[in-house]
């Protein structure tokens, strides 16, 4: 019986299949990131529309912190397939990389809300939420993802 990955690969067109296999760590990194993106979004909006309504950056940072723990577990065991014991300080370096990443991720939201003033009542609720989504969930996530890919390979899961 084929594994789930083999079953999925069989459905991928032949010219693309070798590229995915060759770059499987990058593909797994992306899939893990995609799942963590959904988790971040769900927690962020749950907090933002309830207990942290007036603190969107705080809601986003809490959501990102929660997804970071999930990311560590998935990146280490699945994407990068680290089978050895944790190296001394590995989790600390991971947390440091993700703290920097959270800052990178939050900067576009901060700029959108506070430097550009895209918040209610200066703009409507719909414009505010669209600006929040584009700045934090799209732009911030892409910038942070690029940094994390580089930093995980260079500092966290390099050995």
């Amino acid at each position: 019986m084929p594994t789930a990955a083999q079953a999925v690969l069989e459905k991928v067109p032949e010219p693309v299949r070798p590229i995915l296999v060759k770059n499987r760590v990058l593909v797994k990194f992306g899939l893990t990131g995609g799942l963590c993106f959904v988790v971040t979004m769900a927690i962020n909006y749950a907090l933002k529309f309830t207990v942290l309504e007036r603190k969107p950056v705080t809601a986003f940072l809490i959501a990102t912190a929660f997804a970071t723990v999930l990311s560590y577990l998935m990146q280490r065991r699945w994407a990068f397939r680290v089978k050895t014991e944790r190296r001394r300080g590995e989790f600390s370096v991971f947390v440091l990389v993700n703290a920097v990443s959270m800052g990178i991720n939050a900067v576009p939201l901060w700029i959108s809300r506070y430097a550009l003033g895209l918040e209610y009542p200066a703009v409507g609720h719909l414009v505010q939420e669209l600006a929040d989504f584009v700045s934090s969930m799209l732009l911030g996530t892409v910038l942070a993802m690029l940094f994390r890919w580089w930093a995980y390979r260079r500092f966290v899961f390099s050995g």
Side-chain angles (χ1 to χ4, degrees):
M1 178 153 193
T3 65
Q6 290 169 334
V8 169
L9 278 174
E10 287 177 9
K11 297 183 188 308
V12 173
E14 182 57 41
V16 177
R17 198 174 308 154
I19 297 168
L20 293 178
V21 171
K22 183 180 178 189
N23 296 296
R24 66 185 166 275
V25 174
L26 178 60
V27 171
K28 290 178 180 182
F29 172 82
L31 290 171
T32 299
L35 174 65
C36 290
F37 175 82
V38 170
V39 168
T40 302
M41 220 166 56
I43 294 171
N44 177 51
Y45 285 111
L47 292 172
K48 186 174 167 181
F49 292 135
T50 58
V51 296
L52 293 174
E53 190 173 6
R54 298 172 102 14
K55 298 193 178 278
V57 175
T58 303
F60 184 70
L61 291 174
I62 290 170
T64 303
F66 185 84
T68 296
V69 173
L70 177 62
S71 175
Y72 175 75
L73 296 172
M74 291 182 70
Q75 296 292 357
R76 184 172 207 289
R77 299 199 181 228
W78 185 59
F80 290 92
R81 290 206 180 229
V82 178
K83 294 183 193 240
T84 60
E85 298 259 341
R86 265 194 297 196
R87 290 179 303 153
R88 183 178 168 102
E90 178 185 271
F91 186 71
S92 299
V93 174
F94 185 88
V95 168
L96 179 63
V97 164
N98 280 281
V100 171
S101 180
M102 285 172 65
I104 291 169
N105 207 327
V107 166
L109 175 59
W110 187 91
I111 291 170
S112 174
R113 274 287 181 114
Y114 306 117
L116 299 177
L118 296 175
E119 64 179 327
Y120 185 82
V123 298
H125 285 291
L126 182 59
V127 171
Q128 172 186 285
E129 293 310 315
L130 184 59
D132 284 0
F133 181 78
V134 170
S135 63
S136 66
M137 298 309 293
L138 297 181
L139 180 60
T141 298
V142 167
L143 294 173
M145 178 189 66
L146 292 171
F147 171 75
R148 278 192 304 271
W149 171 248
W150 171 79
Y152 287 173
R153 294 180 71 218
R154 175 93 165 107
F155 302 112
V156 182
F157 302 117
S158 61

